[in-house]
């Protein structure tokens, strides 16, 4: 039979690439019991099953929720000289396994993503290996020309690590370089993301680590971000806010019209200093895990709809590196394969409304970073879909697809599992198992998103 492309005709003639049936679809803020037809990488129909066309492949979504493809805006895919920690295949396969169709890669690699040459190198490597969609944030470029060129090439924004020596010096001497970058970002409508910590001093164990990376040094850094956003009018995003007081300052600034957004991570919501003291380096991350009361307050902001994004800050290291002394062990927790199970469990338990989960993991990430045609389910939108099933299981890092097979969430019981992950109409996760080949994903460039 001749296949009808790009359109679904009435009657039995029409055949599309794929359909998902028997699911509870998160559609226009409500649950629709039905299915979705996909053709040529786009959603062509959402509706009750009898109204859907025939398809080459049908996915049975019984006991499943069908959500818009989830977007993780804070992922360290590593690769290049750090591919021993993670590479574009293992990192994006971990994303697919965790229900993410789209990820934003961080620039702190070797070499760093802060020049056009380095971005091209990274995109070239990623193109051959990625299995989901990958966009890039650029690091602080050496020159304005580099910044302009990076924008032209299609980065989704910039990421500045404030605790870096060069940046600290710039901030203490009037933020000239940062203001230049923010002005360029503003000109092109891009966002600048900040790792907001301004520390001083050194640490040697858990207690001194918590003293150096104290609450006040994050609050001060967040105040600097807000000031820079006000001063330049650029869009600013604060990564992994871990302090309630800092989050409150951002929320207040936003109410006053400042263009600033922020994300929180599952580990800062569900873990505390006590877990760090119990688990040591496995739970070492920056900013650090905080006091229990602080985590509860952050979670209250999430449930109040006052947080913009939840991001995993997937930061993989080798188990060997994590076994070094506390001082030597690098900070970072792999989060791609635990974020959705942990958060959807909260939905099932009635602690988090489903519409908020979708807003935090799909809609807002798409709007804030400009992932057009993504973040919602609608006819004509990209066929990026996350299907999650009600299943009781325990997090076991030995089963991770990521090279980083450790987790402070080891042994935690969860009630939901990513079941199908559909990226542009291709099924990269089938019944919880990967069904993808390296290079099947796509590199997203902000300039020509389709
Ligand atoms: O814990 C962290 N790990 N925080 C960061 O800011 C960097 C990240 C990494 O790249 O490992
Ligand atoms: Zn990070």
């Amino acid at each position: 039979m001749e296949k009808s492309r790009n359109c679904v005709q009435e009657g039995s003639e029409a055949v599309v690439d794929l359909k998902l049936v028997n699911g509870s679809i998160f559609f226009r803020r409500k649950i629709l019991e039905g299915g979705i037809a996909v053709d040529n990488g786009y959603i062509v129909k959402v509706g009750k099953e009898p109204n859907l066309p025939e398809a080459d492949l049908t996915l049975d979504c019984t006991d499943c929720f069908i959500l818009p493809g989830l977007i993780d805006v804070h992922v360290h895919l590593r690769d290049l000289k750090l591919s021993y920690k993670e590479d574009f295949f293992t990192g994006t396969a971990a994303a697919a396994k965790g229900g993410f169709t789209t990820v934003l890669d961080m620039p702190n690699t070797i070499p760093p993503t802060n020049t056009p040459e380095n971005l091209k190198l990274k995109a070239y490597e990623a193109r051959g290996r990625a299995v989901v969609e990958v966009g890039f944030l650029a690091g602080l470029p050496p020159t304005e020309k580099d910044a302009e060129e990076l924008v032209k090439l299609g980065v989704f924004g910039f990421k500045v690590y404030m605790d870096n020596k060069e940046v600290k010096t710039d901030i203490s001497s009037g933020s000239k370089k940062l203001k230049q970058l923010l002005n360029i970002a503003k000109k092109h409508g891009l966002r600048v993301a900040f790792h907001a910590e301004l520390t001083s001093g050194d640490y040697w164990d858990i207690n001194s680590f918590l003293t150096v990376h104290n609450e006040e040094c994050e609050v001060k850094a967040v105040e600097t971000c807000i000031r820079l956003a006000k001063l330049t009018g650029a869009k600013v995003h604060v990564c992994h806010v871990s302090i309630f007081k800092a989050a409150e300052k951002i929320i207040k600034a936003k109410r006053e019209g400042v263009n600033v957004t922020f994300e929180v991570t599952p580990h800062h919501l569900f873990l505390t200093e006590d877990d760090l003291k119990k688990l040591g380096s496995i739970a070492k991350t920056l900013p650090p895990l905080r006091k229990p009361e602080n985590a509860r307050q952050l979670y209250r902001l999430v449930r109040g709809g006052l947080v913009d994004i939840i991001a995993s800050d997937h930061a993989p290291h080798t188990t060997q590196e994590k076994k070094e002394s506390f001082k030597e062990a690098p900070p970072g927790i792999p989060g791609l394969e635990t974020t959705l199970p942990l958060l959807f469990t909260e939905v099932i338990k009635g602690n988090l409304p489903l519409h908020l989960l979708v807003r935090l993991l799909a809609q807002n990430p798409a709007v804030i970073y400009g992932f057009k045609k993504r973040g919602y389910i609608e006819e004509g939108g990209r066929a990026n879909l996350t299907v999650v099933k009600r299943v009781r299981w325990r997090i076991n890092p030995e089963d991770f697809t990521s090279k980083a097979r450790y987790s402070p969430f080891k042994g935690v019981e969860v009630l939901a599992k990513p079941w199908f992950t559909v990226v542009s109409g291709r099924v990269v996760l089938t019944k919880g198992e990967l069904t993808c080949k390296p290079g099947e994903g796509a590199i997203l460039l902000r300039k020509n998103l389709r």
Side-chain angles (χ1 to χ4, degrees), residues 14-30:
V15 179
V16 295
D17 291 337
L18 172 73
K19 70 178 168 178
L20 295 85
V21 298
N22 301 325
S24 303
I25 309 166
F26 186 84
F27 183 56
R28 297 180 182 163
R29 287 205 61 170
K30 292 207 186 78

mmCIF file with all atom_site columns, all heavy atoms in Angstrom, residues 14-30:
data_model
loop_
_atom_site.group_PDB
_atom_site.id
_atom_site.type_symbol
_atom_site.label_atom_id
_atom_site.label_alt_id
_atom_site.label_comp_id
_atom_site.label_asym_id
_atom_site.label_entity_id
_atom_site.label_seq_id
_atom_site.pdbx_PDB_ins_code
_atom_site.Cartn_x
_atom_site.Cartn_y
_atom_site.Cartn_z
_atom_site.occupancy
_atom_site.B_iso_or_equiv
_atom_site.pdbx_formal_charge
_atom_site.auth_seq_id
_atom_site.auth_comp_id
_atom_site.auth_asym_id
_atom_site.auth_atom_id
_atom_site.pdbx_PDB_model_num
ATOM 1   N N   . ALA A 1 14 ? -5.111  5.598  4.974  1.00 0.00 ? 14 ALA A N   1
ATOM 2   C CA  . ALA A 1 14 ? -4.006  6.313  5.602  1.00 0.00 ? 14 ALA A CA  1
ATOM 3   C C   . ALA A 1 14 ? -3.186  5.400  6.502  1.00 0.00 ? 14 ALA A C   1
ATOM 4   O O   . ALA A 1 14 ? -3.719  4.660  7.305  1.00 0.00 ? 14 ALA A O   1
ATOM 5   C CB  . ALA A 1 14 ? -4.551  7.479  6.416  1.00 0.00 ? 14 ALA A CB  1
ATOM 6   N N   . VAL A 1 15 ? -1.870  5.448  6.336  1.00 0.00 ? 15 VAL A N   1
ATOM 7   C CA  . VAL A 1 15 ? -0.980  4.703  7.209  1.00 0.00 ? 15 VAL A CA  1
ATOM 8   C C   . VAL A 1 15 ? 0.090   5.656  7.715  1.00 0.00 ? 15 VAL A C   1
ATOM 9   O O   . VAL A 1 15 ? 0.718   6.345  6.925  1.00 0.00 ? 15 VAL A O   1
ATOM 10  C CB  . VAL A 1 15 ? -0.306  3.531  6.464  1.00 0.00 ? 15 VAL A CB  1
ATOM 11  C CG1 . VAL A 1 15 ? 0.640   2.794  7.388  1.00 0.00 ? 15 VAL A CG1 1
ATOM 12  C CG2 . VAL A 1 15 ? -1.347  2.566  5.924  1.00 0.00 ? 15 VAL A CG2 1
ATOM 13  N N   . VAL A 1 16 ? 0.275   5.698  9.021  1.00 0.00 ? 16 VAL A N   1
ATOM 14  C CA  . VAL A 1 16 ? 1.329   6.558  9.564  1.00 0.00 ? 16 VAL A CA  1
ATOM 15  C C   . VAL A 1 16 ? 2.458   5.686  10.111 1.00 0.00 ? 16 VAL A C   1
ATOM 16  O O   . VAL A 1 16 ? 2.336   4.468  10.187 1.00 0.00 ? 16 VAL A O   1
ATOM 17  C CB  . VAL A 1 16 ? 0.775   7.487  10.671 1.00 0.00 ? 16 VAL A CB  1
ATOM 18  C CG1 . VAL A 1 16 ? -0.229  8.467  10.095 1.00 0.00 ? 16 VAL A CG1 1
ATOM 19  C CG2 . VAL A 1 16 ? 0.175   6.676  11.815 1.00 0.00 ? 16 VAL A CG2 1
ATOM 20  N N   . ASP A 1 17 ? 3.547   6.334  10.492 1.00 0.00 ? 17 ASP A N   1
ATOM 21  C CA  . ASP A 1 17 ? 4.721   5.595  10.989 1.00 0.00 ? 17 ASP A CA  1
ATOM 22  C C   . ASP A 1 17 ? 4.433   4.853  12.277 1.00 0.00 ? 17 ASP A C   1
ATOM 23  O O   . ASP A 1 17 ? 4.870   3.730  12.488 1.00 0.00 ? 17 ASP A O   1
ATOM 24  C CB  . ASP A 1 17 ? 5.870   6.572  11.266 1.00 0.00 ? 17 ASP A CB  1
ATOM 25  C CG  . ASP A 1 17 ? 6.426   7.174  9.986  1.00 0.00 ? 17 ASP A CG  1
ATOM 26  O OD1 . ASP A 1 17 ? 6.248   6.559  8.923  1.00 0.00 ? 17 ASP A OD1 1
ATOM 27  O OD2 . ASP A 1 17 ? 7.040   8.258  10.071 1.00 0.00 ? 17 ASP A OD2 1
ATOM 28  N N   . LEU A 1 18 ? 3.747   5.551  13.184 1.00 0.00 ? 18 LEU A N   1
ATOM 29  C CA  . LEU A 1 18 ? 3.685   5.048  14.564 1.00 0.00 ? 18 LEU A CA  1
ATOM 30  C C   . LEU A 1 18 ? 2.404   5.489  15.230 1.00 0.00 ? 18 LEU A C   1
ATOM 31  O O   . LEU A 1 18 ? 1.915   6.585  14.972 1.00 0.00 ? 18 LEU A O   1
ATOM 32  C CB  . LEU A 1 18 ? 4.890   5.657  15.308 1.00 0.00 ? 18 LEU A CB  1
ATOM 33  C CG  . LEU A 1 18 ? 5.002   5.476  16.813 1.00 0.00 ? 18 LEU A CG  1
ATOM 34  C CD1 . LEU A 1 18 ? 5.377   4.030  17.141 1.00 0.00 ? 18 LEU A CD1 1
ATOM 35  C CD2 . LEU A 1 18 ? 6.071   6.412  17.384 1.00 0.00 ? 18 LEU A CD2 1
ATOM 36  N N   . LYS A 1 19 ? 1.863   4.610  16.080 1.00 0.00 ? 19 LYS A N   1
ATOM 37  C CA  . LYS A 1 19 ? 0.832   5.147  16.975 1.00 0.00 ? 19 LYS A CA  1
ATOM 38  C C   . LYS A 1 19 ? 0.981   4.568  18.372 1.00 0.00 ? 19 LYS A C   1
ATOM 39  O O   . LYS A 1 19 ? 1.477   3.449  18.552 1.00 0.00 ? 19 LYS A O   1
ATOM 40  C CB  . LYS A 1 19 ? -0.577  4.995  16.418 1.00 0.00 ? 19 LYS A CB  1
ATOM 41  C CG  . LYS A 1 19 ? -1.144  3.632  16.348 1.00 0.00 ? 19 LYS A CG  1
ATOM 42  C CD  . LYS A 1 19 ? -2.588  3.731  15.809 1.00 0.00 ? 19 LYS A CD  1
ATOM 43  C CE  . LYS A 1 19 ? -3.102  2.360  15.433 1.00 0.00 ? 19 LYS A CE  1
ATOM 44  N NZ  . LYS A 1 19 ? -4.490  2.389  14.969 1.00 0.00 ? 19 LYS A NZ  1
ATOM 45  N N   . LEU A 1 20 ? 0.588   5.389  19.343 1.00 0.00 ? 20 LEU A N   1
ATOM 46  C CA  . LEU A 1 20 ? 0.609   4.972  20.741 1.00 0.00 ? 20 LEU A CA  1
ATOM 47  C C   . LEU A 1 20 ? -0.855  4.842  21.146 1.00 0.00 ? 20 LEU A C   1
ATOM 48  O O   . LEU A 1 20 ? -1.638  5.772  20.903 1.00 0.00 ? 20 LEU A O   1
ATOM 49  C CB  . LEU A 1 20 ? 1.312   6.015  21.611 1.00 0.00 ? 20 LEU A CB  1
ATOM 50  C CG  . LEU A 1 20 ? 2.808   6.225  21.325 1.00 0.00 ? 20 LEU A CG  1
ATOM 51  C CD1 . LEU A 1 20 ? 3.019   7.211  20.200 1.00 0.00 ? 20 LEU A CD1 1
ATOM 52  C CD2 . LEU A 1 20 ? 3.528   6.707  22.579 1.00 0.00 ? 20 LEU A CD2 1
ATOM 53  N N   . VAL A 1 21 ? -1.226  3.715  21.728 1.00 0.00 ? 21 VAL A N   1
ATOM 54  C CA  . VAL A 1 21 ? -2.639  3.506  22.052 1.00 0.00 ? 21 VAL A CA  1
ATOM 55  C C   . VAL A 1 21 ? -2.833  3.105  23.515 1.00 0.00 ? 21 VAL A C   1
ATOM 56  O O   . VAL A 1 21 ? -1.883  2.703  24.185 1.00 0.00 ? 21 VAL A O   1
ATOM 57  C CB  . VAL A 1 21 ? -3.262  2.416  21.134 1.00 0.00 ? 21 VAL A CB  1
ATOM 58  C CG1 . VAL A 1 21 ? -3.214  2.839  19.658 1.00 0.00 ? 21 VAL A CG1 1
ATOM 59  C CG2 . VAL A 1 21 ? -2.578  1.068  21.327 1.00 0.00 ? 21 VAL A CG2 1
ATOM 60  N N   . ASN A 1 22 ? -4.074  3.230  23.966 1.00 0.00 ? 22 ASN A N   1
ATOM 61  C CA  . ASN A 1 22 ? -4.489  2.811  25.322 1.00 0.00 ? 22 ASN A CA  1
ATOM 62  C C   . ASN A 1 22 ? -3.803  3.574  26.450 1.00 0.00 ? 22 ASN A C   1
ATOM 63  O O   . ASN A 1 22 ? -3.643  3.059  27.552 1.00 0.00 ? 22 ASN A O   1
ATOM 64  C CB  . ASN A 1 22 ? -4.233  1.315  25.557 1.00 0.00 ? 22 ASN A CB  1
ATOM 65  C CG  . ASN A 1 22 ? -4.975  0.446  24.567 1.00 0.00 ? 22 ASN A CG  1
ATOM 66  O OD1 . ASN A 1 22 ? -6.081  0.792  24.166 1.00 0.00 ? 22 ASN A OD1 1
ATOM 67  N ND2 . ASN A 1 22 ? -4.363  -0.659 24.168 1.00 0.00 ? 22 ASN A ND2 1
ATOM 68  N N   . GLY A 1 23 ? -3.360  4.808  26.193 1.00 0.00 ? 23 GLY A N   1
ATOM 69  C CA  . GLY A 1 23 ? -2.638  5.547  27.229 1.00 0.00 ? 23 GLY A CA  1
ATOM 70  C C   . GLY A 1 23 ? -3.469  6.649  27.867 1.00 0.00 ? 23 GLY A C   1
ATOM 71  O O   . GLY A 1 23 ? -4.541  7.008  27.373 1.00 0.00 ? 23 GLY A O   1
ATOM 72  N N   . SER A 1 24 ? -2.988  7.161  28.987 1.00 0.00 ? 24 SER A N   1
ATOM 73  C CA  . SER A 1 24 ? -3.572  8.366  29.591 1.00 0.00 ? 24 SER A CA  1
ATOM 74  C C   . SER A 1 24 ? -2.686  9.521  29.156 1.00 0.00 ? 24 SER A C   1
ATOM 75  O O   . SER A 1 24 ? -1.570  9.674  29.660 1.00 0.00 ? 24 SER A O   1
ATOM 76  C CB  . SER A 1 24 ? -3.571  8.258  31.124 1.00 0.00 ? 24 SER A CB  1
ATOM 77  O OG  . SER A 1 24 ? -4.266  7.099  31.519 1.00 0.00 ? 24 SER A OG  1
ATOM 78  N N   . ILE A 1 25 ? -3.201  10.312 28.223 1.00 0.00 ? 25 ILE A N   1
ATOM 79  C CA  . ILE A 1 25 ? -2.368  11.364 27.602 1.00 0.00 ? 25 ILE A CA  1
ATOM 80  C C   . ILE A 1 25 ? -2.531  12.683 28.347 1.00 0.00 ? 25 ILE A C   1
ATOM 81  O O   . ILE A 1 25 ? -3.655  13.120 28.606 1.00 0.00 ? 25 ILE A O   1
ATOM 82  C CB  . ILE A 1 25 ? -2.794  11.578 26.132 1.00 0.00 ? 25 ILE A CB  1
ATOM 83  C CG1 . ILE A 1 25 ? -2.844  10.236 25.386 1.00 0.00 ? 25 ILE A CG1 1
ATOM 84  C CG2 . ILE A 1 25 ? -1.852  12.541 25.426 1.00 0.00 ? 25 ILE A CG2 1
ATOM 85  C CD1 . ILE A 1 25 ? -3.574  10.319 24.055 1.00 0.00 ? 25 ILE A CD1 1
ATOM 86  N N   . PHE A 1 26 ? -1.391  13.317 28.662 1.00 0.00 ? 26 PHE A N   1
ATOM 87  C CA  . PHE A 1 26 ? -1.452  14.660 29.239 1.00 0.00 ? 26 PHE A CA  1
ATOM 88  C C   . PHE A 1 26 ? -1.625  15.636 28.073 1.00 0.00 ? 26 PHE A C   1
ATOM 89  O O   . PHE A 1 26 ? -0.675  15.984 27.390 1.00 0.00 ? 26 PHE A O   1
ATOM 90  C CB  . PHE A 1 26 ? -0.186  14.986 30.037 1.00 0.00 ? 26 PHE A CB  1
ATOM 91  C CG  . PHE A 1 26 ? -0.289  16.298 30.743 1.00 0.00 ? 26 PHE A CG  1
ATOM 92  C CD1 . PHE A 1 26 ? -0.915  16.386 31.975 1.00 0.00 ? 26 PHE A CD1 1
ATOM 93  C CD2 . PHE A 1 26 ? 0.206   17.458 30.162 1.00 0.00 ? 26 PHE A CD2 1
ATOM 94  C CE1 . PHE A 1 26 ? -1.040  17.612 32.621 1.00 0.00 ? 26 PHE A CE1 1
ATOM 95  C CE2 . PHE A 1 26 ? 0.084   18.687 30.799 1.00 0.00 ? 26 PHE A CE2 1
ATOM 96  C CZ  . PHE A 1 26 ? -0.535  18.751 32.029 1.00 0.00 ? 26 PHE A CZ  1
ATOM 97  N N   . PHE A 1 27 ? -2.884  16.028 27.868 1.00 0.00 ? 27 PHE A N   1
ATOM 98  C CA  . PHE A 1 27 ? -3.231  16.807 26.676 1.00 0.00 ? 27 PHE A CA  1
ATOM 99  C C   . PHE A 1 27 ? -4.028  18.034 27.083 1.00 0.00 ? 27 PHE A C   1
ATOM 100 O O   . PHE A 1 27 ? -5.094  17.922 27.676 1.00 0.00 ? 27 PHE A O   1
ATOM 101 C CB  . PHE A 1 27 ? -4.052  15.904 25.731 1.00 0.00 ? 27 PHE A CB  1
ATOM 102 C CG  . PHE A 1 27 ? -4.428  16.547 24.424 1.00 0.00 ? 27 PHE A CG  1
ATOM 103 C CD1 . PHE A 1 27 ? -3.457  17.079 23.582 1.00 0.00 ? 27 PHE A CD1 1
ATOM 104 C CD2 . PHE A 1 27 ? -5.753  16.589 24.019 1.00 0.00 ? 27 PHE A CD2 1
ATOM 105 C CE1 . PHE A 1 27 ? -3.805  17.662 22.369 1.00 0.00 ? 27 PHE A CE1 1
ATOM 106 C CE2 . PHE A 1 27 ? -6.110  17.167 22.805 1.00 0.00 ? 27 PHE A CE2 1
ATOM 107 C CZ  . PHE A 1 27 ? -5.135  17.697 21.981 1.00 0.00 ? 27 PHE A CZ  1
ATOM 108 N N   . ARG A 1 28 ? -3.491  19.207 26.786 1.00 0.00 ? 28 ARG A N   1
ATOM 109 C CA  . ARG A 1 28 ? -4.134  20.484 27.125 1.00 0.00 ? 28 ARG A CA  1
ATOM 110 C C   . ARG A 1 28 ? -4.537  20.542 28.596 1.00 0.00 ? 28 ARG A C   1
ATOM 111 O O   . ARG A 1 28 ? -5.680  20.839 28.935 1.00 0.00 ? 28 ARG A O   1
ATOM 112 C CB  . ARG A 1 28 ? -5.335  20.719 26.208 1.00 0.00 ? 28 ARG A CB  1
ATOM 113 C CG  . ARG A 1 28 ? -4.891  20.829 24.756 1.00 0.00 ? 28 ARG A CG  1
ATOM 114 C CD  . ARG A 1 28 ? -6.036  21.070 23.828 1.00 0.00 ? 28 ARG A CD  1
ATOM 115 N NE  . ARG A 1 28 ? -5.573  21.122 22.446 1.00 0.00 ? 28 ARG A NE  1
ATOM 116 C CZ  . ARG A 1 28 ? -6.350  21.003 21.393 1.00 0.00 ? 28 ARG A CZ  1
ATOM 117 N NH1 . ARG A 1 28 ? -7.644  20.818 21.539 1.00 0.00 ? 28 ARG A NH1 1
ATOM 118 N NH2 . ARG A 1 28 ? -5.851  21.059 20.180 1.00 0.00 ? 28 ARG A NH2 1
ATOM 119 N N   . ARG A 1 29 ? -3.607  20.176 29.455 1.00 0.00 ? 29 ARG A N   1
ATOM 120 C CA  . ARG A 1 29 ? -3.745  20.247 30.923 1.00 0.00 ? 29 ARG A CA  1
ATOM 121 C C   . ARG A 1 29 ? -4.715  19.234 31.508 1.00 0.00 ? 29 ARG A C   1
ATOM 122 O O   . ARG A 1 29 ? -5.001  19.246 32.698 1.00 0.00 ? 29 ARG A O   1
ATOM 123 C CB  . ARG A 1 29 ? -4.150  21.657 31.375 1.00 0.00 ? 29 ARG A CB  1
ATOM 124 C CG  . ARG A 1 29 ? -2.999  22.647 31.259 1.00 0.00 ? 29 ARG A CG  1
ATOM 125 C CD  . ARG A 1 29 ? -3.171  23.782 32.214 1.00 0.00 ? 29 ARG A CD  1
ATOM 126 N NE  . ARG A 1 29 ? -3.179  23.304 33.596 1.00 0.00 ? 29 ARG A NE  1
ATOM 127 C CZ  . ARG A 1 29 ? -3.131  24.099 34.647 1.00 0.00 ? 29 ARG A CZ  1
ATOM 128 N NH1 . ARG A 1 29 ? -3.068  25.387 34.493 1.00 0.00 ? 29 ARG A NH1 1
ATOM 129 N NH2 . ARG A 1 29 ? -3.154  23.601 35.854 1.00 0.00 ? 29 ARG A NH2 1
ATOM 130 N N   . LYS A 1 30 ? -5.261  18.352 30.642 1.00 0.00 ? 30 LYS A N   1
ATOM 131 C CA  . LYS A 1 30 ? -6.186  17.333 31.172 1.00 0.00 ? 30 LYS A CA  1
ATOM 132 C C   . LYS A 1 30 ? -5.672  15.966 30.771 1.00 0.00 ? 30 LYS A C   1
ATOM 133 O O   . LYS A 1 30 ? -4.747  15.850 29.976 1.00 0.00 ? 30 LYS A O   1
ATOM 134 C CB  . LYS A 1 30 ? -7.569  17.534 30.575 1.00 0.00 ? 30 LYS A CB  1
ATOM 135 C CG  . LYS A 1 30 ? -8.278  18.782 31.011 1.00 0.00 ? 30 LYS A CG  1
ATOM 136 C CD  . LYS A 1 30 ? -9.793  18.552 30.928 1.00 0.00 ? 30 LYS A CD  1
ATOM 137 C CE  . LYS A 1 30 ? -10.563 19.811 31.204 1.00 0.00 ? 30 LYS A CE  1
ATOM 138 N NZ  . LYS A 1 30 ? -10.592 20.718 30.048 1.00 0.00 ? 30 LYS A NZ  1
#
